[in-house]
Each structure stands twice: as structure tokens, then as C-alpha cells.
DNA sequence: TTCGTATTTTAGTAGTTGCTTAAATAAGCA
DNA sequence: TGCTTATTTAAGCAACTACTAAAATACGAA
């Protein structure tokens, strides 16, 4: 795009440049974090994460039953969460159990606290 | 969908029902929270939120310049953030400045801390 | 009022996402 | 080995998203 269209006359050039540097410095981190937030930013996946958090571990079949969705649809969500290492698997005979990875359990806890206490509508 | 396809034989019916109740009880909160996370879960919007957080306030034009995007594209992101009250506006002559709402500033801080300290790749 | 600056809005479009259906894989058991 | 159970994967498609380009709105100054 062409930048010469609207730089406002009172623009603080120093500020703009500082910000540009900041963004390029942190660029990879933005990608990584936004990707993680996007995963949690889906209604179904957020419920899945919450259920796994509360119950410690669940299999696709349980989740499919709880959410009233096809196993296939749930499985595809689980794969996304697993690819990004928000959750991990543990096989027990034919059943594969999913649980939160330690890092994300810690990270998601505050959100689930808010959810659980139903404070969400006032807090946000 | 039809549920009778795969309820595994050793399924814990009590657990399933407890989870179903939990989900329907918190249903509105899941919608609200996932919607918010989705907004932050976009590369461009996360950068916008971060920049506004660091600089206190910025106008569309500044952000467009910093990110190398058209003003129109940035404006459309800002509208989404504003609709959901993550950010608010303050007019100064022809220029409209955007800043984080207090609630979200508090809520986003821990994420930006991680970003800033570049810990993100180890922490997440 | 007319012009310039700052910004938003609208319409159109290419790319992405989340689901469905059907086929494939994997483990346990007769 | 074949059969059942548990699960994943692949193909297809409808809905959604983020952008572009052009038009519209809003304020200030001459």
C-alpha cells in the first residue's frame, strides 16, 4: 500500500518509528500469541478446554456427547488444540484421553475462574 | 445429530450429566468470553491492542502507518474492538484517538507482559 | 459555502473455518 | 484371521473474515 495518503500533519514521527521498531521486534511473538488466543476464541473449543480443565481428562466420545456434536467435529477441534500443544493425549486401551498441558492449565485458569464465578458479564 | 453412535461402554454417565449441566449453566459466558478471545486472537488486532496499550492512545492514521496497512482496513478492526468495548474513542478536532478501556487494560496486561519480556516461546 | 483533512462505511471478493459424510486407522477380543 | 469399538482423516461445502477500492461522513478553516 502507499503510505503517503494520510500521515496526519501533527503525527509524532518519533512515536511512529518507536512503534514500528517494537512491532518488528516482537513480530514472531504476536503471531504465536494471536494464534493461541484464536484457538481459545472459538465457542466450542473454549468449552472443550473448560471441560477438560474441570474434569482433568476426557475422551472425544465424552465431549461429543456432552456438547451434542458429532465425534468427527470434536476430533477436528481436538487436533487443532493438540497441534498447538494446549492439550495432550494419553491412551488407555482403545480410548484416548485428552488433558490440558501444564503450561496452559496455568494460563487458562484465570479465565475459567471468571467463567465459573459467572462474573464475566460484569468484569469484561 | 444422533447420540447413539458412540457412547463408550465404560462412560461415566454421572460425569457426562454433570458436564452437560455445567455447560448449559455457563452457556452465555462461553459465548461472551470466546467472542472476546477471538477478537484478540487476530494478528493485526493483537498488535493494535498492544500498541494502544504501550502508547496510551493512537489514531487510525498512526496505526495504519505503523502496521503498513490501509486506513480502511485498520478502521474496520478498530470498529470491531470498539463494538465489543475493548477500546474507546476520544475526539480531538478532526483526529479520533483510541485507547484501551480500563477493564481490558487490566485483563490484557499479563499477555503483554509475556510478549514484552519475549518469554512467549518458552512460557506457552 | 467550498475545500482539505481525518475518518468511517459500503460493496465486492479471495481465503479461511467449522461442519457433514464417508472412508481409513488402530487396538482389543473371539 | 475377522469383528467390534474408539477414534482420526479426507473431501466437500456453506458461512464467515479480512482485505481492497470507492463512496460517504464529519469537522475545521478560508
Amino acid at each position: 500500500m502507499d503510505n503517503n495518503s494520510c500521515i496526519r500533519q501533527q503525527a509524532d514521527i518519533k512515536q511512529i518509528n518507536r512503534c514500528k521498531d517494537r512491532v518488528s521486534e516482537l513480530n514472531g511473538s504476536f503471531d504465536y500469541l494471536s494464534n493461541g488466543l484464536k484457538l481459545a476464541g472459538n465457542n466450542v473449543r473454549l468449552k472443550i478446554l473448560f471441560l477438560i480443565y474441570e474434569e482433568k481428562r476426557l475422551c472425544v466420545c465424552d465431549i461429543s456427547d456432552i456438547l451434542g456434536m458429532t465425534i468427527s467435529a470434536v476430533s477436528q477441534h481436538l487436533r487443532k488444540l493438540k497441534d498447538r500443544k494446549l492439550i495432550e493425549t494419553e491412551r488407555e486401551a482403545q480410548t484416548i484421553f485428552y488433558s490440558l498441558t501444564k503450561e496452559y492449565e496455568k494460563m487458562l485458569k484465570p479465565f475459567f475462574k471468571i467463567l465459573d464465578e459467572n462474573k464475566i458479564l460484569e468484569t469484561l
Side-chain angles (χ1 to χ4, degrees), chain A:
Chain A
M1 64 142 255
D2 53 331
N3 283 356
N4 48 14
S5 51
C6 162
I7 309 307
R8 63 185 223 285
Q9 295 171 317
Q10 323 92 291
D12 178 344
I13 307 297
K14 269 189 188 168
Q15 181 184 43
I16 302 280
N17 286 329
R18 180 173 65 237
C19 288
K20 281 184 182 171
D21 290 347
R22 213 75 180 90
V23 168
S24 70
E25 170 195 355
L26 298 176
N27 208 48
S29 298
F30 282 123
D31 286 350
Y32 194 76
L33 180 56
S34 67
N35 183 266
L37 290 168
K38 179 184 278 171
L39 280 175
N42 168 282
N43 201 303
V44 173
R45 282 191 297 265
L46 187 63
K47 285 177 192 166
I48 291 176
L49 290 169
F50 178 75
L51 288 168
I52 293 178
Y53 170 78
E54 284 216 316
E55 300 294 328
K56 303 299 174 208
R57 63 173 213 173
L58 287 169
C59 68
V60 223
C61 190
D62 291 332
I63 298 170
S64 135
D65 192 12
I66 294 163
L67 299 180
M69 294 176 60
T70 63
I71 289 174
S72 172
V74 172
S75 178
Q76 288 173 72
H77 282 299
L78 289 171
R79 184 170 49 148
K80 290 187 181 185
L81 294 171
K82 195 189 173 189
D83 283 350
R84 182 47 206 279
K85 302 204 193 323
L86 299 222
I87 59 177
E88 59 197 358
T89 53
E90 164 197 15
R91 176 157 227 148
E92 209 161 276
Q94 286 133 294
T95 307
I96 295 166
F97 288 98
Y98 286 88
S99 51
L100 289 181
T101 55
K102 267 177 221 132
E103 305 79 39
Y104 277 97
E105 182 170 3
K106 217 170 69 181
M107 177 143 206
L108 291 168
K109 202 169 200 164
F111 289 107
F112 295 147
K113 267 244 157 71
I114 294 170
L115 263 178
D116 190 27
E117 292 161 13
N118 245 315
K119 279 191 201 155
I120 191 129
L121 293 164
E122 308 100 71
T123 310
L124 295 186

